[in-house]
Amino acid sequence: MPKLGAEPIRRRALVKATIAEVGLVGSLDVTVSQIAKRAGMSSALAHHYFGGKDQIFLAAMRHILSEFGAEVRSQLVQATTPAERLDAILRACFAPSCFEPATVSAWMTFYAQAQASNDARRLLRIYQRRLASNLTFALRPLSGDALRLAETLGSLIDGLYIRAALSRETTREQALDLLRGCVSDGLRTPK
């Protein structure tokens, strides 16, 4: 007889275990068995809840994106001006919860997975469009070229995550300083 209410708890445990395992290995070269073991359950249960490794990983990325969305919303609550709104979005991109080594590794794996998986590619596009939309909305009152600056910032954010994944030397503060410098330069540059 299945335990009532156990499914959401087990799903969360598998998602967190997936992020931890991907973070440990630095790629999707993990097995469902490794993920399940870390979550404290059998691989059969993991397959039952998600179907396979790709589905578990997509659920993990949805979780990371959901946490990121919550971080953005919590930062935006305090923003009253377009400049504050922009800075809130940038701070959310490099919030401690988003910049943990395991989460950064999951992002890098996600980018690679999006090249081969339609589902991952679709999820990545949703994230990229939302980020671009939020940045553009914040930049529109500040810049005559909000779309271009939003695209530049989105690319810079991706690049800073790649640097963080490869070197582990980029700090959150350094990343934010670079982004803020780019914004400052972009707003001063004549169009």
Side-chain angles (χ1 to χ4, degrees), residues 147-176:
L147 289 172
R148 183 168 168 257
L149 187 51
E151 182 67 28
T152 301
L153 289 172
S155 298
L156 185 55
I157 290 165
D158 289 345
L160 289 166
Y161 267 86
I162 291 170
R163 275 190 171 182
L166 295 176
S167 71
R168 303 275 188 231
E169 293 176 12
T170 301
T171 67
R172 295 175 45 251
E173 293 76 20
Q174 289 169 329
L176 279 170

Side-chain angles (χ1 to χ4, degrees), residues 26-141:
S27 73
L28 204 50
D29 288 337
V30 297
T31 65
V32 172
S33 180
Q34 289 170 299
I35 293 167
K37 183 177 180 181
R38 181 177 284 267
M41 63 188 78
S42 70
S43 59
L45 267 176
H47 282 288
H48 170 73
Y49 289 128
F50 289 102
K53 182 171 65 173
D54 289 344
Q55 289 77 22
I56 296 171
F57 181 66
L58 284 172
M61 285 312 303
R62 283 187 197 98
H63 172 76
I64 288 170
L65 288 167
S66 175
E67 284 187 335
F68 171 66
E71 188 67 49
V72 170
R73 287 186 298 279
S74 83
Q75 294 284 340
L76 286 173
V77 166
Q78 302 163 8
T80 58
T81 67
E84 289 174 354
R85 181 177 177 81
L86 176 61
D87 199 62
I89 295 165
L90 299 180
R91 283 193 318 270
C93 288
F94 292 96
S97 63
C98 299
F99 210 62
E100 293 174 357
T103 304
V104 173
S105 288
W107 271 105
M108 294 306 97
T109 302
F110 182 49
Y111 287 130
Q113 188 74 1
Q115 294 179 40
S117 163
N118 288 333
D119 290 336
R121 188 176 311 111
R122 184 185 62 76
L123 192 56
L124 181 59
R125 282 187 186 139
I126 290 169
Y127 154 73
Q128 289 172 330
R129 286 180 185 147
R130 284 183 183 161
L131 179 62
S133 174
N134 280 321
L135 290 170
T136 302
F137 182 79
L139 284 163
R140 196 162 276 131

